[in-house]
Amino acid sequence: MSPSVPTTQYAQVFDKTGGPIQYRQIPVQTPGPDEILVNVKYSGVCHTDLHAWKGDWPLDTKLPLVGGHEGAGVVVAKGDQVTNFEIGDYAGVKWLNGSCLSCEFCINGYEPNCQQALLSGYTVDGSFQQYAIAKAIHAAPIPKGTDLAKIAPILCAGITVYKALKESDAKPGQWVAITGAGGGLGTLAIQYAKAMGLRVLGIDTGDVKSKLTQSLGAEIFIDFATTPDIVSEVVKVTNGGPHAVINVAVAEKPFELSCKYVRPRGTVVVVGLPAHAYVKSEVFSTVVKSITIKGSYVGNRADTDEAIDFFSRGLVESPIKIVGLSELPKVFELMQKGEIAGRYVLDTSK
């Protein structure tokens, strides 16, 4: 490694599930032959990070764990087998940190479904630290001159909703409903949908999120907390129901309702991952309406490049609030209360 790379760094670490999150010094790791070391300047905070800390998903994390998977920074060291990055390049540390590249899923462009996938901030240490390791082949190339704070949420939230919109098969001019529209994923989903020529209906609650979603391009906003019959209202304002629904909400009820109001032959895309939740759809209507219910995980390398290109061309931008890395526990507290509009981004220097 370069002499300018320190041997220790600050990170947010927890030693046991649900235990104290400690802002402390830890060693800086040396990248392996196929890895890069990224000096993380900014990291977005995703709801997945909260689940990793709470341990309420049916997938064990490594312990101790440094969370985070939306890290944007500068390459400061690389392994001798790395050919796609040079020192000084901008790079993103994504949720998918690495995969085997040789299984049926990797070969066909479904690397996120690889059974040997390495997950940043979950099965390997992530971006809530000043220096993070990533497999070079899966790290996201970021154009020089990019605002690293603003692009950080694109590395998970942006890629994820862009992939979900592609999976929905919605066509330009058609309606797409987005549940959880005022959150980190939802605000980006609105913008990607608009850029893809879709008409957007946002579903969330509160005046702040109503104004935010409509300022980003949602034609209509429905407040689920004050609307007596959400299903009827959605069908009415979209003249028959949306052609697709992107569920990024972190509660179970929106998933069930979306199966009721989606247009016949429409697609319900499941993205949000509320703990212990199920997708319920009454069988008769599912068959007679001929609806499709599908899960959408995260994007592959091609999806990543495409999602970043939308950002680079000024078509999408995450509404962010920047706070110091040391303030992560406060962000989690706001997240659990559902009080975050847009995305929090951590400055690793603070």
Side-chain angles (χ1 to χ4, degrees):
M1 293 194 293
S2 166
S4 61
V5 178
T7 57
T8 60
Q9 61 170 327
Y10 279 99
Q12 288 282 12
V13 190
F14 59 89
D15 296 308
K16 64 177 183 178
T17 300
I21 303 171
Q22 299 178 333
Y23 182 61
R24 68 188 193 213
Q25 286 194 311
I26 63 171
V28 173
Q29 302 298 311
T30 301
D34 60 344
E35 296 173 336
I36 57 174
L37 179 66
V38 179
N39 177 200
V40 179
K41 300 298 186 182
Y42 297 94
S43 178
V45 185
C46 177
H47 218 276
T48 295
D49 301 314
L50 181 62
H51 289 293
W53 172 54
K54 294 173 70 174
D56 56 8
W57 279 355
L59 175 65
D60 292 334
T61 67
K62 75 174 283 291
L63 290 172
L65 181 68
V66 176
H69 56 273
E70 290 183 344
V74 182
V75 178
V76 293
K78 66 173 190 169
D80 58 13
Q81 295 177 11
V82 175
T83 59
N84 60 327
F85 283 100
E86 299 297 335
I87 305 301
D89 285 350
Y90 284 6
V93 179
K94 307 180 301 177
W95 171 248
L96 185 63
N97 192 290
S99 70
C100 78
L101 300 176
S102 60
C103 68
E104 63 173 295
F105 302 110
C106 287
I107 289 172
N108 287 288
Y110 304 119
E111 307 100 284
N113 301 114
C114 175
Q115 299 302 294
Q116 297 178 46
L118 302 174
L119 308 176
S120 298
Y122 208 95
T123 62
V124 298
D125 285 338
S127 55
F128 294 158
Q129 57 183 332
Q130 294 173 315
Y131 293 86
I133 295 285
K135 295 290 184 183
I137 198 69
H138 280 295
I142 297 174
K144 279 284 187 71
T146 297
D147 185 319
L148 293 176
K150 290 183 177 180
I151 201 172
I154 303 298
L155 300 173
C156 174
I159 296 166
T160 298
V161 297
Y162 174 64
K163 178 68 168 182
L165 286 162
K166 289 174 67 174
E167 291 281 348
S168 77
D169 293 324
K171 297 176 175 58
Q174 294 184 336
W175 280 103
V176 59
I178 299 168
T179 68
L185 274 76
T187 50
L188 281 166
I190 292 168
Q191 296 173 78
Y192 277 106
K194 290 292 290 185
M196 296 164 76
L198 302 171
R199 303 181 70 183
V200 180
L201 162 65
I203 302 175
D204 213 313
T205 187
D207 290 340
V208 172
K209 292 183 177 180
S210 173
K211 292 175 183 176
L212 176 61
T213 56
Q214 292 180 84
S215 72
L216 294 174
E219 290 185 40
I220 300 171
F221 178 85
I222 292 179
D223 191 320
F224 67 78
T226 60
T227 304
D229 188 342
I230 294 175
V231 173
S232 296
E233 186 66 16
V234 171
V235 171
K236 175 185 174 184
V237 299
T238 57
N239 193 29
H243 301 80
V245 185
I246 309 299
N247 279 299
V248 295
V250 288
E252 182 176 295
K253 191 63 176 178
F255 293 71
E256 180 181 351
L257 293 176
S258 66
C259 295
K260 295 180 179 179
Y261 60 65
V262 70
R263 206 179 199 91
R265 300 204 62 80
T267 301
V268 172
V269 185
V270 180
V271 182
L273 292 169
H276 316 300
Y278 291 83
V279 179
K280 299 174 183 177
S281 182
E282 184 259 322
V283 173
F284 184 84
S285 297
T286 302
V287 173
V288 172
K289 287 176 63 180
S290 304
I291 68 173
T292 298
I293 303 171
K294 66 195 303 186
S296 181
Y297 191 20
V298 293
N300 61 19
R301 286 168 288 171
D303 298 319
T304 297
D305 290 344
E306 293 167 12
I308 289 175
D309 182 61
F310 274 80
F311 173 86
S312 297
R313 289 187 287 129
L315 298 174
V316 299
E317 181 175 318
S318 182
I320 63 172
K321 181 173 182 179
I322 302 173
V323 298
L325 175 62
S326 60
E327 297 183 58
L328 175 62
K330 296 179 183 177
V331 177
F332 277 171
E333 191 175 317
L334 291 170
M335 190 174 281
Q336 291 186 87
K337 294 178 181 177
E339 295 179 357
I340 295 178
R343 201 69 154 186
Y344 267 81
V345 170
L346 306 178
D347 180 343
T348 65
S349 69
K350 300 177 180 178

